[in-house]
Amino acid sequence: MTILDISVPVSGSMPIFKGDPMVNIARTADMSKGDPYTLTRIDLGVHTGTHVDAPLHFVRDGAAIEQLDLNALIGPAYVVDLSRVDGEITARDLDATHLPGGAERILFKTKNSALWEKPGFQEDFVALAADGARWLVERQVRLVGIDYLSVEVYGSTDFAAHHILLDAGVIILEGVQLKDIAPGVYELLCLPLKIQGAEGAPARAVLIQE
Ligand SMILES: [Zn+2]
């Protein structure tokens, strides 16, 4: 069994979605400065790095992060190669993946995985088109993941992809790193922090290869 970490490191220099809070990590006690122990304080938005969006992000009175069904966050997941797609992933692109019926968790491996190497937030990431989001809902997908900070095309004003997915209860996993992951089926373990009442949370996500 091999455990493949698809989470990005959280640090003060990581890319943050434009407008989101910056990450601040500070030591409030430090043994190297004579304190009896070391203790770190973190200050960050819940949509930092690898994170999960709960329905509450875009649905009034929608489920918060601690209410998500762990059965949706853990289980077989398909990593699909969409590295030839520019701009938005459409229903046609998803048809071409020949995913088996009944696939409940799908992670999109796109050109985005290379964007993590670039400093600062990159606006030209590959996102999910509205018809691609509908495709996933129609097939009763429970979780969809993408390898940069949003499923939504940058600059969107209607947030169609988020609305279509979250209205249908599809969990969104954003900010994974799939650079070293071959397309195929894995066991996903994705556990967002249990932050009461929050509309999202940072997560550690791993793929297990049998
Ligand atoms: Zn998010």
Side-chain angles (χ1 to χ4, degrees), residues 109-153:
K109 177 176 178 164
T110 75
K111 292 187 168 114
N112 293 346
S113 279
L115 296 179
W116 294 112
E117 316 279 319
K118 299 191 182 183
F121 174 63
Q122 305 296 315
E123 298 179 359
D124 59 341
F125 58 87
V126 175
L128 181 63
D131 73 341
R134 271 183 230 107
W135 189 100
L136 296 165
V137 170
E138 281 161 15
R139 280 155 188 80
Q140 297 178 305
V141 169
R142 300 184 77 186
L143 177 143
V144 61
I146 195 156
D147 50 357
Y148 206 56
L149 290 164
S150 183
V151 288
E152 202 77 51
V153 66

Side-chain angles (χ1 to χ4, degrees), residues 47 51-53 57 149 162 174:
H47 302 267
H51 70 276
V52 171
D53 285 357
H57 192 26
L149 290 164
H162 273 93
E174 292 169 328

Side-chain angles (χ1 to χ4, degrees), residues 1 40 78-79 94 98 122 135-136 138 141 150 168 194 209:
M1 180 183 95
T40 300
Y78 290 80
V79 175
L94 294 174
H98 302 297
Q122 305 296 315
W135 189 100
L136 296 165
E138 281 161 15
V141 169
S150 183
K194 200 169 183 175
Q209 192 169 34

Side-chain angles (χ1 to χ4, degrees), residues 1-7 79 107 176-178 180-182 185-189 204-210:
M1 180 183 95
T2 310
I3 300 173
L4 304 162
D5 194 353
I6 57 168
S7 324
V79 175
L107 306 180
V176 293
Q177 169 58 287
L178 299 174
D180 298 326
I181 308 297
V185 62
Y186 300 85
E187 192 77 8
L188 171 72
L189 294 180
R204 189 71 178 258
V206 301
L207 295 175
I208 295 174
Q209 192 169 34
E210 296 297 334

Side-chain angles (χ1 to χ4, degrees), residues 5-23:
D5 194 353
I6 57 168
S7 324
V8 298
V10 175
S11 79
S13 60
M14 70 192 297
I16 300 293
F17 195 90
K18 193 180 277 183
D20 277 17
M22 299 306 287
V23 172

